[in-house]
Amino acid sequence: TLLYMSPEQARGSEPIGSRSDVFSLGLLLFELVSGQRPWVGIQPDSSLANILSVICNCQVTGLDEVLGNAPRQLNDICDRVLVQNRQD
């Protein structure tokens, strides 16, 4: 769905591959563990344009910033799979 798009999918200008699926899975993991989405700028009443802009341009909040006591390995996984640049 829209809220689980990868940046390259939201931009629509790059080929979509398995990396996009990994990003979406990372979003789901983040939300399951923390109870919230990793972007502060997306609210339930956000417009389509705002959601796409946030996905494409904003870094996600770190799991450790949200939970404060997230296990280091889990935080590292979320940090790694939720990078904006798919080359990273």
Side-chain angles (χ1 to χ4, degrees):
T1 65
L2 179 64
L3 293 173
Y4 298 94
M5 279 186 167
S6 65
E8 60 267 23
Q9 194 173 15
R11 282 189 288 274
S13 60
E14 303 170 42
I16 306 300
S18 60
R19 170 66 186 104
S20 182
D21 294 334
V22 170
F23 188 90
S24 297
L25 183 62
L27 289 172
L28 184 60
L29 174 64
F30 188 102
E31 189 172 354
L32 287 170
V33 171
S34 70
Q36 65 185 53
R37 293 187 182 97
W39 288 292
V40 176
I42 297 178
Q43 303 302 321
D45 60 346
S46 292
S47 68
L48 172 62
N50 181 52
I51 292 170
L52 292 175
S53 176
V54 169
I55 290 171
C56 292
N57 300 309
C58 298
Q59 294 295 323
V60 298
T61 305
L63 188 60
D64 57 342
E65 293 175 48
V66 174
L67 295 180
N69 61 348
R72 185 179 52 82
Q73 294 88 352
L74 186 57
N75 186 63
D76 292 347
I77 289 169
C78 286
D79 283 350
R80 183 165 178 174
V81 299
L82 294 176
V83 295
Q84 293 295 101
N85 183 346
R86 70 185 199 153
Q87 303 304 339
D88 293 338

